[in-house]
Amino acid sequence: MSDIADTGREGEPDRSGERKSSSSGSSGVPKMAEGRIVRGTRPHDIAVHERKNWLIHLHYIRKDFETCKVLIGEMLQETEGMCEYAIYVLGLIKRQEGEISDSLELFQRAVTLNPNSSAAVKQVARSLFLLGRHKSALEAYNEALSLSPQEWEILHNMGVCCIYLKDYDQAVERLSEAVSLSPQSQSYVQLGRVHLLRGDLHKATEVYKTAVDHNPDSPELLTTLGLLYMELGETKKAFEALGSALTFDPSNARAILAAGAMIQDHGDYDVALSKYRVAAAVSPESPQLWNNIGMCLYGKGKHVAAISCLKRATYLAPFEWKILYNLGLVHLSLHHFASAYHFLRAAVGLYPQSGQLFMLLAVALAHWRMTMRIPCKVIRTALTP
């Protein structure tokens, strides 16, 4: 899910030059005389700069961009660059092709031709956001809000810009306004994200509970809610949320991994491994998955298989200290003190705040010294950063 919301799929503007809006209920086709076709209207009565809008629209929604750009070039030549709709669609094409700066210039031209077009102003803001100019994007969204004050999409995007600017109070305010206008799941996700950035798990959980009430069949929301319950230590609620997520999407890797971890914590390794087998088919390159499989095998006493899985996990995520910690623990249990020291020392380098890591490192060094008769001077040198 992208951070910035875009109602009406990007690239389906209607032929009148305005984008479709979820709040307007437009079908994407411009209205004529309040739904009635005006009798006597002939093709030559249509303004010159709008004559090919329908054809540009047709090729655009078919993603025939090359033909679309040829038509746009003809229209701009005929109208001496005064066709707002052609410029607008060309901006969309340029952005989809990765030319963000060019798209920004085109949308700014469209705003110059029609300063009251909230759609064009929103696209200016979106291009600014994609360029990383979040403050300028926020100013552009403010301008769009003055043109369309009751549009949740603008408020949502303003909230996202505030998150990137680390103005969390303003982000909460804007996102709360957005969900009050339209309870969209993406707005709830961003609101929960703000509370997580603040370290407030309880408020984040409340936000996701409300989001699930409005979107009860969303496996992603249910999975995140389950993970938050796990962080709070509410195991029963977490299992219920994860179970609901798997009901709607039995192959959801995040939900399977979380549910398997809870089962694994209770020592039911065979059931956990059966869950992980399903997740491995969906997400075979997940380091967390292979880490958990490795520790399940370790719990069953299959140390060599556990080391193999953990080494695959550390290959996928070489800077994840928990995997290195587990490798050190397994080697320590096998009395491979040199290998245990190697992995635990790497884990300490990545996460020196853990006292347990230093404890296991000391155990490994103590046994290593006793086994190999290593002098204390060498031990002190090994512990020196």
Side-chain angles (χ1 to χ4, degrees):
M1 184 180 292
S2 62
D3 293 340
I4 288 290
D6 193 10
T7 58
R9 291 163 295 181
E10 176 176 285
E12 289 195 15
D14 65 31
R15 288 168 285 179
S16 64
E18 290 293 329
R19 288 180 59 83
K20 294 190 287 186
S21 171
S22 59
S23 59
S24 65
S26 171
S27 63
V29 179
K31 297 179 181 178
M32 298 179 64
E34 298 298 328
R36 299 187 303 275
I37 298 175
V38 181
R39 296 185 182 278
T41 303
R42 297 181 181 179
H44 65 264
D45 294 330
I46 302 173
V48 173
H49 61 275
E50 294 180 357
R51 288 174 61 186
K52 293 183 181 178
N53 282 4
W54 69 273
L55 193 54
I56 292 172
H57 172 79
L58 182 64
H59 285 287
Y60 183 82
I61 61 175
R62 290 178 176 176
K63 299 191 181 299
D64 184 4
F65 294 153
E66 294 304 317
T67 305
C68 198
K69 284 193 282 188
V70 171
L71 289 168
I72 289 170
E74 292 174 358
M75 281 297 297
L76 293 177
Q77 188 174 1
E78 288 178 16
T79 61
E80 298 180 352
M82 297 300 290
C83 182
E84 177 199 349
Y85 184 69
I87 293 170
Y88 181 93
V89 175
L90 185 58
L92 293 177
I93 293 172
K94 290 289 186 182
R95 191 162 66 200
Q96 290 195 36
E97 291 176 345
E99 300 177 22
I100 312 297
S101 298
D102 291 343
S103 75
L104 175 61
E105 293 176 5
L106 289 163
F107 290 128
Q108 287 172 334
R109 282 176 60 189
V111 171
T112 303
L113 291 172
N114 185 3
N116 294 322
S117 171
S118 64
V121 177
K122 283 192 295 181
Q123 296 304 329
V124 168
R126 184 173 173 81
S127 292
L128 287 167
F129 179 87
L130 293 173
L131 288 169
R133 297 164 60 181
H134 302 119
K135 189 173 181 180
S136 299
L138 184 60
E139 292 171 358
Y141 278 123
N142 266 315
E143 183 181 345
L145 188 64
S146 65
L147 297 170
S148 300
Q150 295 297 315
E151 193 167 341
W152 75 269
E153 177 193 349
I154 298 173
L155 291 165
H156 169 95
N157 294 341
M158 290 176 72
V160 173
C161 289
C162 290
I163 293 173
Y164 281 93
L165 293 170
K166 301 188 185 303
D167 187 355
Y168 298 138
D169 292 332
Q170 190 69 15
V172 169
E173 183 181 342
R174 291 302 186 186
L175 290 167
S176 298
E177 290 175 8
V179 296
S180 66
L181 287 174
S182 179
Q184 301 287 331
S185 60
Q186 53 191 318
S187 297
Y188 281 112
V189 168
Q190 294 301 324
L191 189 55
R193 177 186 171 191
V194 177
H195 291 306
L196 288 174
L197 288 170
R198 287 174 156 181
D200 194 338
L201 285 175
H202 292 282
K203 282 190 177 179
T205 305
E206 290 300 318
V207 167
Y208 273 97
K209 281 173 64 178
T210 308
V212 168
D213 290 339
H214 287 98
N215 303 275
D217 57 348
S218 171
E220 291 301 324
L221 290 176
L222 287 163
T223 301
T224 307
L225 181 60
L227 292 171
L228 288 171
Y229 278 134
M230 286 178 67
E231 290 285 335
L232 294 172
E234 299 184 27
T235 310
K236 185 178 179 181
K237 291 182 178 179
F239 206 78
E240 289 175 358
L242 293 170
S244 299
L246 290 172
T247 301
F248 292 110
D249 184 6
S251 60
N252 188 302
R254 287 178 67 221
I256 293 170
L257 194 59
M262 292 177 65
I263 295 168
Q264 183 177 342
D265 287 341
H266 286 83
D268 200 344
Y269 300 120
D270 290 321
V271 177
L273 284 171
S274 68
K275 294 285 185 185
Y276 295 146
R277 190 175 294 111
V278 178
V282 180
S283 182
E285 303 300 320
S286 169
Q288 294 80 12
L289 173 65
W290 288 105
N291 174 72
N292 288 9
I293 292 173
M295 294 315 291
C296 270
L297 293 170
Y298 171 70
K300 294 183 70 175
K302 298 181 179 180
H303 298 97
V304 176
I307 289 173
S308 177
C309 291
L310 289 169
K311 284 192 173 179
R312 180 167 182 172
T314 196
Y315 171 77
L316 295 169
F319 299 110
E320 178 56 66
W321 71 269
K322 291 182 181 179
I323 301 173
L324 294 168
Y325 170 89
N326 290 335
L327 269 168
L329 183 65
V330 176
H331 279 292
L332 199 58
S333 67
L334 289 173
H335 295 182
H336 298 167
F337 302 119
S339 296
Y341 165 77
H342 169 74
F343 290 113
L344 291 169
R345 187 71 181 84
V348 166
L350 292 169
Y351 190 66
Q353 294 85 1
S354 173
Q356 195 168 5
L357 276 173
F358 280 100
M359 180 190 72
L360 288 179
L361 187 60
V363 171
L365 283 169
H367 284 285
W368 191 16
R369 178 176 176 270
M370 290 171 60
T371 305
M372 305 299 294
R373 301 183 183 277
I374 301 172
C376 291
K377 183 179 179 181
V378 176
I379 301 292
R380 285 194 295 270
T381 305
L383 285 171
T384 304

